[in-house]
Amino acid sequence: MKISIITVCYNSVATLGDTLASVAAQDHPDVEHIVIDGGSTDGTQALVEREGGHVKVFVSEPDKGIYDAMNKGIRRATGDIVGFINADDFYPSSDVLSSVAGVFEDPGIEVCYGDLCYVRQDDTSRIVRYWQSSDFRPGLFLRGWCPPHPTFFARREVYARHGLFDLRYRIAADVEIMSRFLEVARVRARYLPKLLVKMRMGGTTNRSLGNIWRQNREIADALKSHGLPFSLPRFALSKVLSRGRQFVARPD
């Protein structure tokens, strides 16, 4: 079972090395690592050439944003399974992809996802927030729930059937596509209760209150566009409560 892992980056020389190393360390025997760079000028390309000997595809050119870059990666992917690991993210153990492959041994499973933790920029051993996901039930996206996108793996044929990232959404296209797959298309998904990704704090969405507001507005628009009965008070309250728990709760 080939797994295509797509990394999109732009001027990420400070953190991309950890991403590359964590993919190279995976014990799954068939991994296609695709790196889509937005035309970096900080030495990112040299870093990939120096430390990315396992990288199968490297593209460095201007794009229309992170989701356009992700679509480029999907179009180049040849694996049975497609996943994403961004330049601020890394796998915490060498068995992440083999664990994911084990889930997809069930031919009926189309999507798999797990847990993610946010760590400090300057000390990745320090957990700031633990995003423990759960089994999907219809209607959960309307309550502010979604899987952590860097832990989200789908069969490549799911993208062929149900489409790529919608570029109308600048910050929330990842939430839109997961809701399209799970809430609308009802693909068969399985939650893998395992820490799959560590992410450094300070990503695009969480960088400012303005971005958080814009993301939630885009999520509302996306859910409404799919004909789902969106309620702002229910969505906001549920999301605040769930996010708050992530800063204090830790799984056993």
Side-chain angles (χ1 to χ4, degrees), residues 51-248:
E51 301 182 18
H54 66 286
V55 173
K56 300 298 192 297
V57 178
F58 177 67
V59 176
S60 183
E61 62 186 17
D63 53 49
K64 299 175 184 176
I66 185 172
Y67 300 115
D68 180 43
M70 288 180 175
N71 285 343
K72 288 182 181 182
I74 295 170
R75 293 188 183 103
R76 287 169 170 81
T78 63
D80 307 289
I81 310 302
V82 175
F84 296 88
I85 186 82
N86 297 324
D88 282 337
D89 312 342
F90 58 95
Y91 296 127
S93 60
S94 62
D95 65 344
V96 168
L97 297 186
S98 57
S99 298
V100 169
V103 173
F104 284 104
E105 289 294 333
D106 181 342
I109 297 298
E110 298 174 279
V111 161
C112 166
Y113 57 88
D115 296 345
L116 174 148
C117 70
Y118 290 89
V119 296
R120 287 182 48 162
Q121 283 272 357
D122 58 346
D123 183 357
T124 58
S125 67
R126 300 265 315 262
I127 296 176
V128 178
R129 170 183 164 195
Y130 196 103
W131 187 344
Q132 185 173 19
S133 197
S134 62
D135 294 320
F136 170 72
R137 300 188 309 277
L140 278 181
F141 278 87
L142 296 168
R143 298 181 179 276
W145 178 94
C146 73
H149 184 249
T151 77
F152 190 84
F153 296 82
R155 295 190 187 272
R156 185 158 52 94
E157 62 194 38
V158 171
Y159 290 99
R161 288 201 314 270
H162 302 296
L164 306 184
F165 290 91
D166 188 334
L167 301 188
R168 292 178 298 173
Y169 302 102
R170 300 292 297 174
I171 298 181
D174 52 349
V175 180
E176 187 280 327
I177 201 169
M178 291 187 290
S179 70
R180 192 194 324 150
F181 289 174
L182 298 178
E183 290 279 12
V184 181
R186 296 292 170 86
V187 302
R188 188 177 173 196
R190 180 170 294 169
Y191 166 53
L192 176 61
K194 176 182 173 69
L195 178 62
L196 299 184
V197 173
K198 286 188 174 183
M199 172 186 285
R200 288 178 173 84
M201 292 292 290
T204 299
T205 301
N206 297 312
R207 196 167 292 160
S208 69
L209 290 175
N211 279 357
I212 294 172
W213 169 254
R214 281 188 288 273
Q215 186 203 41
N216 287 325
R217 187 173 60 187
E218 286 190 5
I219 293 171
D221 291 343
L223 296 177
K224 291 175 183 177
S225 75
H226 292 313
L228 299 171
F230 180 81
S231 165
L232 179 58
R234 177 182 60 186
F235 177 86
L237 178 60
S238 299
K239 190 167 185 178
V240 167
L241 291 175
S242 66
R243 295 300 184 269
R245 284 194 296 269
Q246 292 172 10
F247 284 95
V248 295

Side-chain angles (χ1 to χ4, degrees), residues 36-52:
I36 308 294
D37 175 58
S40 295
T41 58
D42 69 340
T44 291
Q45 182 168 348
L47 174 68
V48 175
E49 292 171 351
R50 185 173 65 251
E51 301 182 18

